[in-house]
Amino acid sequence: MIVLGILFALVWAALSICPLYRADWLLENLMVVPFVACLLATSRSFPFSRISYALIFVFLCLHEIGAHYTYSEVPYDAWFQALTGRTFNSLLGWQRNQFDRLTHFAFGLLLAYPVREIFVRVAEAKGFWAYYLPLDVTMACSALFELIEWGAAEAFGGDLGVAYLGTQGDPWDAQKDMALATLGAVLAMLATAAINLRLQRDFAREWGESLRVKKRRPLGEDEMRRMASQPRDSSP
């Protein structure tokens, strides 16, 4: 983690120099700073695996590139043309800058595994739930981020709001971004499941056990009535 932390600090510092739109760069980094601070604060009580730290590092680097140029203006086409003589978009028939799509896909692909690590190690999720819950949370976080983008664009408006939202005129931009994040998370969980299927001897038994009903008694009003009828613990 120390090496990756130093490398990210260097990447962050380099990309903080003369960003295309300073105000947009500040907005894009509003969540990065507390996120990295949280990783540092929990590095001893809850250290992630090296795989998770590496995946988080790659995603944060992609995000910082998008923050430096704004997502809709990352000049990957110019970089590709300088190397090959042709633009990348022309090879695939794209008309818009697709860097934001790539990063949303990477969000699901790269961060679903660290989320799974939290569920397995903290909530002791097993079997089906150890793959579904990370996917579900990744989808929810993607939707939450789109809502934050919408709120920020409404609050700031003008060129800053347009730069931060980065729809490039696509009315379905938010839905496509969430779909790509979901696809990335699905692929990450399928790959994880495939590896575990090969290496984990009790994979099938654990999967089946995770779907077995543990409590036959319904919850809801019956459970509230049962709890209300129990004497309260008055011990200090």
Side-chain angles (χ1 to χ4, degrees):
M1 177 191 175
I2 295 176
V3 174
L4 291 178
I6 294 173
L7 287 175
F8 178 70
L10 293 174
V11 170
W12 185 88
L15 292 174
S16 69
I17 300 172
C18 298
L20 198 59
Y21 300 106
R22 175 63 69 182
D24 180 68
W25 179 86
L26 289 170
L27 276 178
E28 297 287 2
N29 279 279
L30 277 179
M31 288 185 288
V32 171
V33 173
F35 179 71
V36 173
C38 183
L39 287 177
L40 292 173
T42 59
S43 60
R44 291 193 176 185
S45 60
F46 189 88
F48 282 98
S49 64
R50 285 178 291 180
I51 292 175
S52 287
Y53 279 129
L55 294 173
I56 293 170
F57 168 77
V58 174
F59 173 75
L60 289 177
C61 288
L62 288 173
H63 177 72
E64 287 306 315
I65 293 172
H68 179 84
Y69 293 99
T70 78
Y71 275 94
S72 60
E73 298 187 45
V74 174
Y76 65 85
D77 249 356
W79 299 338
F80 192 82
Q81 187 172 23
L83 292 173
T84 65
R86 295 187 62 185
T87 64
F88 190 74
N89 276 12
S90 66
L91 291 177
L92 299 178
W94 292 342
Q95 301 298 320
R96 75 189 298 277
N97 189 302
Q98 300 283 11
F99 188 82
D100 64 326
R101 299 273 195 260
L102 167 67
T103 308
H104 279 90
F105 174 74
F107 177 84
L109 184 68
L110 300 176
L111 297 190
Y113 186 85
V115 172
R116 180 180 188 272
E117 193 167 337
I118 295 173
F119 272 109
V120 171
R121 293 171 57 192
V122 176
E124 295 186 343
K126 295 181 180 180
F128 169 79
W129 304 107
Y131 302 94
Y132 171 74
L133 291 174
L135 168 63
D136 188 53
V137 167
T138 305
M139 292 172 61
C141 289
S142 176
L144 178 61
F145 183 75
E146 294 298 331
L147 291 174
I148 292 172
E149 279 192 338
W150 169 44
E154 287 286 344
F156 294 102
D159 292 338
L160 177 57
V162 172
Y164 186 66
L165 201 57
T167 61
Q168 300 181 61
D170 187 351
W172 302 106
D173 181 71
Q175 289 85 346
K176 292 175 182 178
D177 289 345
M178 289 187 287
L180 284 169
T182 301
L183 175 61
V186 168
L187 293 177
M189 291 299 96
L190 286 176
T192 304
I195 293 171
N196 288 342
L197 177 61
R198 180 176 179 83
L199 300 178
Q200 185 180 343
R201 293 183 178 180
D202 63 342
F203 181 88
R205 182 189 64 77
E206 183 182 278
W207 190 282
E209 179 66 18
S210 70
L211 296 174
R212 184 179 64 82
V213 177
K214 310 310 191 287
K215 292 185 178 181
R216 297 288 180 181
R217 180 182 298 172
L219 299 178
E221 69 282 357
D222 294 332
E223 181 67 9
M224 287 188 286
R225 190 180 301 112
R226 184 189 67 81
M227 290 189 293
S229 65
Q230 290 181 337
R232 292 177 179 269
D233 186 4
S234 59
S235 60

